[in-house]
Amino acid sequence: MQYNFNEIEAKWQKYWAENQTFKAENTSSKPKFYVLDMFPYPSGAGLHVGHPLGYIASDIYARYKRHKGFNVMHPQGYDSFGLPAEQYAIQTGQHPAVTTAKNIQTYRRQLDQIGFSFDWSREVRTSDPSYYKWTQWIFIQLFNSWYNKDSDKAEAIDTLIERFSTGGNAKVNAVCDADIFKFSASDWKGFSSKEQQEILLKYRLTYLAKTEVNWCPALGTVLANDEIINGVSERGGHPVVRKKMTQWSMRISAYAQRLLDGLNKIDWPQPLKDAQSNWIGRSQGASVVFYTNDKAKHPIEVFTTRPDTIFGVSFMTLAPEHDLVGKITTQEQKSAVEAYIKATAKRSERDRMADVKTISGVFTGAYAVHPFTKKPIPIWIGDYVLAGYGTGAVMSVPCGDQRDFDFAKHFNIAIPNIFEGVDISEKAFTDKEKTIITNSDFLNGLKYKKAVKLAIYELEKRGLGEGKINYRLRDAVFSRQRYWGEPFPVYYADGMPQMIAPEHLPIKLPKVEKYLPTETGEPPLGNASVWAWCTEKNEVVPNSEINHTSIFPLELNTMPGWAGSSQYFNRYMDPHNDDEIFAKDAINYWQDVDLYIGGSEHATGHLLYSRFWQKFMFDKGFLPKDEFAKKLINQGMITGTSAFIYREEETGKVFSRGLIKDKKVTPIHADVSLVNASDELDIEGFKKWQPDYEDVEFVLENGKYIVGREVEKMSKSKYNVVNPDDIVKEYGADSLRLYEMFLGPLEQSKPWNTAGITGVHGFLKKLWKLYFSEGKLKITADDPSKESLKTLHKTIKKVEEDIQSFSFNTSVSTFMICVNELTAQKCSSRSILEPLAILVSPYAPHIAEELWQKMGYTDSISTVPFPIFEPKYLLESSKEYPISFNGKMKFTMELSLDLSKEEIETAVMAHEKTQAQLAGRTPKKVIVVPGKIVNIVG
RNA sequence: GCCGAAGUGGUGGAAUUGGUAGACACGAUGGAUUCAAAAUCCAUUGCUCACAAGGCGUGCGGGUUCGAUUCCCGCCUUCGGUACCA
């Protein structure tokens, strides 16, 4: 019987599907375990070998946990809203729903043939109305909530309205817009309904606000910073302007501190935690108000982390976009300031931030008054200050901040020294711990901490500032001018947004003729002719019926990509529930994700927004946990190994890799499928693939054409994409699974090279041969040998340790060693080979199932208990001691482990090789570490 | 600039707490089998040296230690992220 992997794999995939082997129940006597993958975006290109890496790792873990007696939920779905499908629709006119469904089919086929233990009965698709109904529902929940700083959680908006009508907003301690004004209960009652709605919008957790965006008129859309290159759009090269637009925002800033604190209780990679905490960017300090010294006395609020250095302020710097710049600039400085603003506007935010070497700025001609000394402080503008951060203005202390120092030096501004015993002629002094303040009135002689405290106290006493904690984290813009996204459950009456009642959800995407923005610059939904809300019939009706009394226009924006992915992990717990987002029973049973595997590129997007929604849902009592994933692992990227041929510029001849020295050659990508394991090119195949090379001479070395190799990102244009379908066909899914794990550590990025797969494929064949010989099962009931037991238990121990530490590459090696040893031992004992099949099962499930069945079992191997490691089989009585001289190992010596230090030393010194090494010298010292090493010094 | 990760044979990588550097594979070389090929099996394979002995070897330069891929200090390079965050 041959190892016919194609047949075996198809058979077991069918078996698992028919028997619903991996369907997880929402109740069980077993403990629960939830293993989650980041669900894929189903792109038109299908999967390449890099995609399944994380899925294979999580599948091994899920399968292992089933063997360990857990009720495992391992779901999969699709993040199926997104830009590529929309782009494709614009180009071809095909509805994104159609192309998306087709892509999902391809993905499913590709995933199925790798043998994942997914519970497909729980599949979700974010673009499915039965799913996005609940995305819309959460949006309504957020709209109907405000953040109470006193209780430190989200509360129903009704409780806020109640407070307003009984006591106004004076005692409300909420996270809200900065421009809120004070009102009393009677004021509130006197406001019109529209005025009340406007005020409430400033408190809601999702709200409409004017936000500055990168607007590209030609594309009719907002662009991200990295979609803009040199001031024009990456796509098409159209001009981009900064523009204020009314958009939906999420008040994630309300959760800044809790998002930071929560990081301490989850087991996520430290680099990822660092990325999130840097993104949240908490800094403690003070806000200080400076007033301009003209008649208008404009207040300029700044935030500083160093209020102790306030007497060192010698100028202020505003962002060029700061509102005050136009108002305070003097006549003489006007043209210079305007020119500078114009120059700044052309630079992208990215450019401004990356360039640290160029110092630029302009004096506005205006002065502010120092809050304590009352001296005039010149006000400058500079593009190192960003409008979007803090207040867009800084108090500049050149002696204590290097950037301020450089700015002052460059523009010849005074640099007063307020640090005792410190030379600041060359650079600023930034060591807080060694700071002693001087030349600072009431702060003189104080150390950093005390000076900060006192400075804040004095500022507060004078009403010129207060202690403050500042976060970099900004509210998240939630509107997109796109078609293929969730529609908002929102219509507009009298210009104010109104929520559609949850019982009428979902609000389905309307049909449109064109997926582009309208000619008037409205989002694509502006093309829909049936896109109005009837408050009487409670349904979507034609726009022509809009009367603004009972029928109103609907929101034209759609939600961003991260909307659908921010609660999908909870929806998996109860995916078909049409009455609730998930039943209480389901969420109380599954609680949270035990293991989440995905890429680190989502660190400050998906993974931060999901934590935000989770905390919000927790506040509202929908969830038992305020963190959704206990443990997270980042899998690394699989890069491609590109192949190159070398064409000589002059002659046009193509030279083999070894012949290109001293020649001027151009490397040209060759398709990696035309290259074998020895880097040898299939020239005929290449000429067939690139007919231009039909008549080109290929100059060979030793009769072969050897290509050059380079590691690059896997991409179509580099011809280095490897499709898992081909691998599965040629070597089988089990080989693919093992090889992806064997490539290297899960977290590390590593290059793919198909050549090496013959190693793991050969291993599977050897494994098979342990069980079969000449087509017949050769398992015996014989007692196993001592060596075989040792091999088995060594393997159990190592593999189990490896799974727990996600070191899957080393366990594949361990399997190879195990099979090599058992083969050498001619082991055919059932008591060894049965547990071996179980050990291998999480990694190579198809062959394991087949072996299990051939050994006489009728049920799937998937829940058979994992073998138990027994240390007694590994006990050793002696050890091969390395004997080293001055730290260098020279020879080894077999010695009993019972020997004492002294006995070991005596035995080693008596050895003839020791005497030979010493050549008559007397050692200075002999280090004996029993069970480890002997080192002779001297 | 800042933050993070990483530099080990021809290649992917191993060495879990400071204790035999290069496990396991790929590739290469030689051999067996075969009409031949595929497949399979055996041997060798860090560099240096004709062999042996020896010497050199984990990005570079120092240090700690009986002993360093592992710890410390100072650099260099590559990759990923980014926010001049006051």
Side-chain angles (χ1 to χ4, degrees), chain A residues 222-438:
Chain A
V222 174
L223 297 176
N225 279 339
D226 54 18
E227 291 176 300
I228 306 164
I229 292 166
N230 297 326
V232 296
S233 66
E234 188 180 23
R235 249 177 326 124
H238 307 293
V240 178
V241 291
R242 299 285 293 174
K243 178 183 161 183
K244 284 214 166 178
M245 259 177 76
T246 301
Q247 307 209 81
W248 286 103
S249 281
M250 290 274 165
R251 217 177 287 280
I252 187 173
S253 58
Y255 286 88
Q257 189 60 48
R258 284 171 62 192
L259 287 169
L260 205 53
D261 294 341
L263 291 173
N264 294 325
K265 58 179 180 188
I266 48 181
D267 181 8
W268 288 19
Q270 195 56 42
L272 197 153
K273 287 188 182 183
D274 291 347
Q276 289 210 348
S277 75
N278 290 340
W279 192 262
I280 294 166
R282 182 187 203 267
S283 50
Q284 195 159 4
S287 88
V288 185
V289 185
F290 288 68
Y291 292 92
T292 55
N293 72 351
D294 56 4
K295 278 186 219 137
K297 291 200 190 327
H298 295 289
I300 305 172
E301 192 187 337
V302 301
F303 175 78
T304 176
T305 51
R306 297 291 305 271
D308 56 316
T309 63
I310 191 150
F311 287 91
V313 173
S314 64
F315 62 103
M316 297 187 73
T317 316
L318 307 185
E321 300 90 342
H322 197 283
D323 286 343
L324 273 182
V325 174
K327 295 178 188 162
I328 61 172
T329 302
T330 60
Q331 205 54 42
E332 305 85 73
Q333 292 301 105
K334 204 172 172 189
S335 60
V337 166
E338 275 170 5
Y340 186 72
I341 291 172
K342 219 173 160 187
T344 306
K346 279 189 193 154
R347 298 182 77 189
S348 74
E349 203 168 61
R350 276 270 166 96
D351 281 351
R352 277 168 68 178
M353 293 181 295
D355 180 14
V356 287
K357 290 185 180 113
T358 330
I359 295 163
S360 73
V362 175
F363 179 43
T364 62
Y367 291 86
V369 182
H370 190 282
F372 294 117
T373 66
K374 305 298 176 199
K375 282 184 190 157
I377 306 286
I379 303 171
W380 287 66
I381 60 174
D383 68 4
Y384 75 94
V385 179
L386 301 178
Y389 181 77
T391 60
V394 300
M395 59 175 230
S396 304
V397 183
C399 65
D401 181 285
Q402 192 57 43
R403 234 178 16 251
D404 293 346
F405 183 91
D406 295 339
F407 195 91
K409 274 262 156 149
H410 191 261
F411 291 109
N412 268 320
I413 303 170
I415 305 178
N417 191 356
I418 53 154
F419 301 118
E420 201 169 290
V422 172
D423 174 27
I424 53 145
S425 57
E426 292 303 319
K427 59 176 189 188
F429 179 72
T430 54
D431 190 342
K432 288 182 211 169
E433 297 314 311
K434 291 185 186 153
T435 293
I436 296 166
I437 304 289
T438 184

Side-chain angles (χ1 to χ4, degrees), chain A residues 2 75 108 124 127 150 177 179 194 324 552 592 651 710 722 738 805:
Chain A
Q2 287 298 305
R108 179 63 191 273
V124 300
S127 61
D150 290 334
D177 288 3
D179 62 352
K194 187 173 179 179
L324 273 182
F552 301 94
D592 55 2
T651 60
E710 213 171 290
V722 182
L738 283 175
S805 60

Side-chain angles (χ1 to χ4, degrees), chain A residues 599-706:
Chain A
S600 60
E601 66 272 21
H602 299 291
T604 53
H606 160 62
L607 290 173
L608 196 62
Y609 298 130
S610 293
R611 293 183 59 224
F612 159 42
W613 279 28
Q614 182 80 5
K615 290 187 187 304
F616 167 72
M617 293 283 281
F618 173 80
D619 286 356
K620 300 289 283 182
F622 294 116
L623 299 175
K625 293 278 178 77
D626 73 338
E627 288 291 345
F628 77 94
K630 283 195 199 87
K631 182 170 181 68
L632 186 139
I633 299 275
N634 288 130
Q635 94 271 16
M637 200 175 45
I638 290 190
T639 46
T641 312
S642 304
F644 294 90
I645 60 162
Y646 300 95
R647 188 178 60 199
E648 191 178 28
E649 284 173 26
E650 257 174 64
T651 60
K653 287 184 193 173
V654 175
F655 286 88
S656 184
R657 181 173 70 199
L659 308 172
I660 59 171
K661 252 192 198 168
D662 311 321
K663 288 198 175 68
K664 271 200 167 178
V665 292
T666 316
I668 295 158
H669 278 101
D671 196 304
V672 289
S673 63
L674 299 168
V675 179
N676 74 6
S678 320
D679 290 351
E680 191 184 333
L681 180 72
D682 167 8
I683 299 174
E684 287 315 305
F686 184 85
K687 288 185 169 178
K688 220 178 264 173
W689 174 60
Q690 296 284 354
D692 293 358
Y693 285 78
E694 191 79 55
D695 303 319
V696 172
E697 187 189 337
F698 281 69
V699 183
L700 313 180
E701 50 182 319
N702 306 322
K704 293 169 180 176
Y705 188 93
I706 305 297

Side-chain angles (χ1 to χ4, degrees), chain A residues 699-934:
Chain A
V699 183
L700 313 180
E701 50 182 319
N702 306 322
K704 293 169 180 176
Y705 188 93
I706 305 297
V707 297
R709 291 289 205 174
E710 213 171 290
V711 173
E712 297 180 296
K713 216 175 150 180
M714 210 173 258
S715 110
K716 250 182 172 173
S717 63
K718 297 184 167 74
Y719 302 107
N720 61 4
V721 173
V722 182
N723 187 322
D725 299 17
D726 301 338
I727 307 279
V728 168
K729 213 163 144 195
E730 204 176 339
Y731 300 98
D734 284 338
S735 290
L736 175 72
R737 292 169 62 106
L738 283 175
Y739 188 51
E740 295 231 355
M741 293 300 103
F742 188 60
L743 274 180
L746 182 60
E747 287 100 329
Q748 197 176 299
S749 115
K750 58 237 159 197
W752 177 272
N753 191 342
T754 306
I757 200 169
T758 52
V760 294
H761 188 64
F763 155 74
L764 287 174
K765 286 200 243 179
K766 277 190 223 163
L767 174 71
W768 184 263
K769 279 195 204 160
L770 273 179
Y771 295 77
F772 293 98
S773 126
E774 318 229 326
K776 275 168 75 184
L777 194 70
K778 60 174 184 185
I779 304 271
T780 62
D782 298 352
D783 280 343
S785 70
K786 236 177 135 184
E787 288 73 40
S788 296
L789 278 167
K790 187 175 165 188
T791 298
L792 174 69
H793 282 271
K794 192 169 79 174
T795 307
I796 298 172
K797 179 168 188 278
K798 175 77 173 138
V799 168
E800 198 151 22
E801 283 166 1
D802 283 347
I803 292 178
Q804 277 155 15
S805 60
F806 299 90
S807 176
F808 300 121
N809 54 326
T810 49
S811 38
V812 177
S813 305
T814 304
F815 286 136
M816 290 174 170
I817 294 166
C818 175
V819 167
N820 289 346
E821 286 182 5
L822 292 178
T823 304
Q825 292 158 11
K826 300 202 190 321
C827 172
S828 59
S829 171
R830 179 176 281 267
S831 56
I832 300 290
L833 296 179
E834 263 192 19
L836 177 62
I838 305 167
L839 285 179
V840 168
S841 149
Y843 293 78
H846 308 87
I847 194 172
E849 289 276 23
E850 185 68 16
L851 294 172
W852 193 247
Q853 192 184 58
K854 286 287 181 309
M855 283 189 286
Y857 293 95
T858 49
D859 284 343
S860 164
I861 196 173
S862 60
T863 52
V864 174
F866 207 72
I868 307 288
F869 165 62
E870 290 186 52
K872 67 177 177 193
Y873 295 114
L874 300 192
L875 287 181
E876 297 282 357
S877 57
S878 68
K879 148 115 192 148
E880 185 95 348
Y881 275 91
I883 312 301
S884 39
F885 293 78
N886 296 317
K888 299 224 173 205
M889 203 280 289
K890 295 295 176 188
F891 62 92
T892 61
M893 229 181 128
E894 179 96 15
L895 289 168
S896 166
L897 280 165
D898 300 335
L899 296 183
S900 70
K901 270 190 180 192
E902 291 71 26
E903 286 167 323
I904 293 172
E905 185 172 337
T906 313
V908 169
M909 292 313 290
H911 198 282
E912 54 179 24
K913 283 191 183 169
T914 306
Q915 292 311 318
Q917 281 293 332
L918 287 171
R921 283 169 292 139
T922 314
K924 280 191 199 137
K925 208 174 179 184
V926 178
I927 312 273
V928 177
V929 184
K932 287 237 162 119
I933 199 169
V934 177

Side-chain angles (χ1 to χ4, degrees), chain A residues 320-570:
Chain A
E321 300 90 342
H322 197 283
D323 286 343
L324 273 182
V325 174
K327 295 178 188 162
I328 61 172
T329 302
T330 60
Q331 205 54 42
E332 305 85 73
Q333 292 301 105
K334 204 172 172 189
S335 60
V337 166
E338 275 170 5
Y340 186 72
I341 291 172
K342 219 173 160 187
T344 306
K346 279 189 193 154
R347 298 182 77 189
S348 74
E349 203 168 61
R350 276 270 166 96
D351 281 351
R352 277 168 68 178
M353 293 181 295
D355 180 14
V356 287
K357 290 185 180 113
T358 330
I359 295 163
S360 73
V362 175
F363 179 43
T364 62
Y367 291 86
V369 182
H370 190 282
F372 294 117
T373 66
K374 305 298 176 199
K375 282 184 190 157
I377 306 286
I379 303 171
W380 287 66
I381 60 174
D383 68 4
Y384 75 94
V385 179
L386 301 178
Y389 181 77
T391 60
V394 300
M395 59 175 230
S396 304
V397 183
C399 65
D401 181 285
Q402 192 57 43
R403 234 178 16 251
D404 293 346
F405 183 91
D406 295 339
F407 195 91
K409 274 262 156 149
H410 191 261
F411 291 109
N412 268 320
I413 303 170
I415 305 178
N417 191 356
I418 53 154
F419 301 118
E420 201 169 290
V422 172
D423 174 27
I424 53 145
S425 57
E426 292 303 319
K427 59 176 189 188
F429 179 72
T430 54
D431 190 342
K432 288 182 211 169
E433 297 314 311
K434 291 185 186 153
T435 293
I436 296 166
I437 304 289
T438 184
N439 296 330
S440 297
D441 194 357
F442 55 86
L443 296 177
N444 284 346
L446 294 181
K447 288 184 180 169
Y448 164 70
K449 273 189 187 159
K450 282 199 167 168
V452 167
K453 259 192 186 166
L454 185 59
I456 292 173
Y457 172 80
E458 291 292 335
L459 283 167
E460 286 177 351
K461 202 167 80 179
R462 290 164 165 80
L464 292 168
E466 58 184 350
K468 194 178 170 184
I469 290 162
N470 204 44
Y471 298 93
R472 174 197 169 275
L473 182 70
R474 216 171 315 287
D475 286 345
V477 177
F478 200 66
S479 297
R480 296 290 183 272
Q481 296 70 47
R482 304 258 157 80
Y483 176 76
W484 193 231
E486 298 86 349
F488 285 85
V490 173
Y491 64 92
Y492 288 87
D494 195 14
M496 295 307 296
Q498 311 296 324
M499 294 298 122
I500 289 165
E503 58 266 32
H504 307 308
L505 300 179
I507 304 302
K508 294 185 191 170
L509 267 174
K511 287 202 176 70
V512 291
E513 290 299 319
K514 276 174 23 191
Y515 302 101
L516 285 168
T518 67
E519 274 155 27
T520 52
E522 283 178 330
L525 293 192
N527 291 314
S529 56
V530 183
W531 196 237
W533 185 252
C534 175
T535 53
E536 283 161 2
K537 288 192 278 184
N538 284 310
E539 59 181 40
V540 178
V541 297
N543 302 7
S544 55
E545 294 176 24
I546 292 172
N547 56 20
H548 295 287
T549 52
S550 62
I551 298 175
F552 301 94
L554 280 158
E555 168 74 53
L556 299 181
N557 287 289
T558 54
M559 299 186 193
W562 55 269
S565 60
S566 295
Q567 278 288 291
Y568 80 108
F569 37 84
N570 288 329

Side-chain angles (χ1 to χ4, degrees), chain A residues 191-209:
Chain A
F191 293 144
S192 70
S193 160
K194 187 173 179 179
E195 284 168 328
Q196 290 187 344
Q197 287 183 51
E198 278 169 350
I199 289 166
L200 287 173
L201 212 42
K202 294 175 192 292
Y203 287 87
R204 297 181 189 274
L205 287 185
T206 181
Y207 60 99
L208 279 170

